[in-house]
Amino acid sequence: MSKSAINLTDLADQYGSDKGSTKHRYTELYHMLFHPYRQRKINFLEMGLLIGGPEHGVDKDRKTTDLPSIRMWLEYFPKAQIMGLDVSDFSWFEHERFSFHRCDMDSRDEVAAAAASMPAPDIVIDDASHASHHQQNAFLEIFPRLKSGGLYVIEDLRWQPPPYEVKGITKTAALLRSFIDERQFSHTDSAIAEGFNALIPEISACIVHPVKYQKHRKDQVAVIHKR
């Protein structure tokens, strides 16, 4: 098989990413969305690099030994600069097209500082803790830096980690659904609602897909396109 014919799902399964056929099947969607970018010199950011961190009660200073999705992206995008962000340390991984940024998404200031240290991304995937306020902190700081025409993806909207989730907060799935249904973001925190609504002129589309494309499943992955 030629490199141009490589399918993203095959790579996910090869490297052990849960984005592939063994679990979420996100790569079926991603291959359709990302294939036009494959041979371009883009900047690609993924937040959340290895399952089993503090969202599952494991110390953030855990020992990390693999980067399955990053290895997948490096092969899928042979000309891209791949950036990784995580609360745990992955600085041991060295590749000429990879840079690592350590950041606690509980702090919006840390997210802002990390975003400011990176080149503007073309594609962003948030696969970090999945806590609602972490997803919302990241979007408010990183989406404005996304290049025009870029894609911002938020995974696993149906699951929030008990160690992190803030009681009473509007979940990101509901926040996005309010925009899809009413063309305006609604949130229990008026400041968060104001921040999201200020970004509406920059949003050309917001699509939410159910897990494994089954209609009875709850909201699972969102794709937001920037004008």
Side-chain angles (χ1 to χ4, degrees), residues 181-214:
D181 293 343
E182 307 294 336
R183 312 314 291 172
Q184 184 171 342
F185 291 101
S186 298
H187 198 285
T188 54
D189 185 327
S190 60
I192 298 296
E194 182 179 349
F196 270 81
N197 283 316
L199 295 174
I200 289 177
E202 299 183 49
I203 298 172
S204 66
C206 177
I207 302 168
V208 177
H209 291 271
V211 62
K212 296 184 178 178
Y213 312 96
Q214 298 172 0

Side-chain angles (χ1 to χ4, degrees), residues 3 19 41 44 48 76 100 135 159 169 217:
K3 287 188 176 296
K19 302 181 194 300
K41 295 180 179 180
F44 183 102
Y76 188 73
F100 173 67
Q135 294 168 335
W159 180 79
I169 191 173
R217 301 288 186 126

Side-chain angles (χ1 to χ4, degrees), residues 64 88-94 98 100:
T64 59
S88 298
D89 185 19
F90 292 86
S91 60
W92 52 265
F93 183 77
E94 295 184 0
F98 174 73
F100 173 67

Side-chain angles (χ1 to χ4, degrees), residues 34 36-45 73 76-83 97 119-124 147:
F34 300 163
Y37 293 85
R38 281 207 64 196
Q39 300 299 324
R40 292 171 51 185
K41 295 180 179 180
I42 64 167
N43 298 318
F44 183 102
L45 168 63
W73 298 127
Y76 188 73
F77 295 110
K79 299 178 182 178
Q81 294 297 317
I82 307 296
M83 303 172 288
R97 291 189 291 109
D122 296 272
I123 298 173
V124 175
K147 290 183 183 178

